[in-house]
């Protein structure tokens, strides 16, 4: 499934959430990119904690700091420590991470959003990136711990770091077992021959079983086609467009009507521009390899073997 982008909350709000699980309702909306719920009628300390969580969910790293709703006490100390860390010079981030209290869900969510931006913009070196990931893996809601694990695994794969994979396996809980198995399968591809996928050529919509090194280059870009201009692909880059639904079986040879319609729409966009690509209508084909988050950039060596896999959080934003 596509990797969720860093959400920018829309102006339209969802109805106020039910109070027994107001925080969970907000985090679920954030995770799915839905409009965030309006303020609740919570009272007292919990109302302040909810406001802090909502401030974190709407926090944008280039637009100031999340507003601290706490007047005094340990919660304010934690919020202010987080706000201090978010504006600290890079050489002070490591010590600030170690000393940061991380008891509030809002603190963990703001730290995730900020750190992800630092990695994307190249401000974190690998040592600092791992320290930030590890801090999030220890405390906070399941959502941010899952985000941090996914991020760390994507980067371990991109760097071919099996020691990091082993450390993450030790740190993860049992719910992450399937995710870890997927990354283990991907590590097994590194240095080996290209996997074979059943792909439908675009714009012709004829299928062939092809290795990645048969797609026209040593770089393979796997990413859905979004609205707007077609992406510019560097020379020597093959493009696979995964299906939105992915309903076809891995070895099926006939497209379902809905997939045929989806493929034709892609062909209708590519053909006038003189562009070609490959349509992948089977989600299970990717999942069986461990390729779970898009975009994905796979680089091959001169023999056609898999050299690197940059997936999800570790993939470039453009081909």
């Amino acid at each position: 499934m596509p990797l969720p982008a860093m959400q920018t909350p829309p102006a339209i709000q969802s109805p106020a959430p039910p109070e027994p699980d107001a925080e969970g309702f907000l985090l679920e909306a954030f995770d799915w990119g839905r409009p965030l719920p309006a303020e609740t009628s919570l009272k007292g300390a919990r109302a302040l904690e909810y406001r802090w969580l909502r401030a974190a969910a709407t926090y944008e790293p280039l637009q100031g700091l999340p507003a601290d709703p706490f007047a005094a006490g340990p919660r304010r100390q934690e919020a202010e420590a987080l706000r201090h860390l978010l504006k600290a010079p890079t050489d002070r981030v490591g010590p600030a991470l170690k000393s940061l209290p991380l008891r509030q869900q809002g603190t963990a969510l703001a730290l995730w959003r900020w750190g992800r931006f630092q990695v994307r913009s190249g401000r974190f070196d690998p040592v600092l990136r791992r320290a930030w990931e590890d801090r999030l893996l220890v405390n906070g809601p399941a959502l941010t711990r899952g985000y941090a694990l996914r991020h760390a695994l994507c980067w371990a794969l991109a760097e071919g770091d099996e020691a990091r994979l082993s450390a993450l396996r030790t740190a993860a809980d049992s719910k992450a077992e399937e995710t870890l198995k997927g990354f283990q399968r991907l590590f097994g591809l590194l240095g080996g021959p290209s996997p074979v996928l059943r792909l439908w050529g675009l714009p012709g919509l004829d299928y062939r079983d092809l290795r990645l090194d048969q797609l026209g280059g040593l770089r393979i870009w796997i990413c859905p086609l979004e609205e707007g201009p077609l992406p510019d692909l560097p020379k020597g880059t093959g493009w696979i467009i995964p299906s939105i639904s992915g309903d076809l079986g891995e070895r099926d040879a006939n497209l379902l009507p809905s997939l045929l319609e989806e493929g034709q729409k892609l062909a209708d966009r590519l053909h006038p521009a003189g562009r070609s690509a490959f349509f992948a209508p089977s989600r299970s084909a990717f999942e069986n390899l461990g390729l779970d988050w898009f975009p994905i950039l796979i680089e091959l060596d001169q023999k056609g073997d898999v050299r690197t896999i940059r997936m999800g959080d570790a993939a470039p934003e453009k081909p």
Side-chain angles (χ1 to χ4, degrees), residues 97-114:
L97 279 170
K98 291 181 180 179
S99 62
L100 176 69
L102 202 55
R103 303 181 186 92
Q104 299 296 312
Q105 296 185 93
T107 307
L109 184 57
L111 183 63
W112 159 256
R113 288 172 69 79
W114 172 79

Side-chain angles (χ1 to χ4, degrees), residues 50-62:
Y50 184 85
R51 285 172 57 191
W52 179 233
L53 177 60
R54 200 174 192 284
T58 57
Y59 163 60
E60 294 293 344
L62 291 178

Side-chain angles (χ1 to χ4, degrees), residues 234-310:
K235 185 178 180 180
T237 302
W239 183 16
I240 297 176
I241 303 177
S243 164
I244 295 172
S245 64
D247 291 336
L248 198 69
E250 185 174 1
R251 305 312 301 169
D252 287 353
N254 296 307
L255 293 177
L256 302 170
S258 60
L259 290 169
L260 182 60
E261 180 181 0
E262 183 182 353
Q264 190 58 57
K265 288 180 178 179
L266 293 173
D268 291 344
R269 290 184 63 186
L270 294 174
H271 182 66
R275 298 284 295 274
S276 61
F278 296 91
F279 178 48
S282 173
R283 180 189 295 114
S284 62
F286 289 107
E287 291 176 342
N288 289 339
L289 292 171
L291 298 170
D292 289 329
W293 290 291
F294 307 124
I296 301 167
L297 177 64
I298 298 177
E299 296 183 294
L300 311 174
D301 63 20
Q302 292 297 326
K303 297 187 299 181
D305 293 343
V306 177
R307 188 165 65 87
T308 62
I309 303 173
R310 297 175 62 187

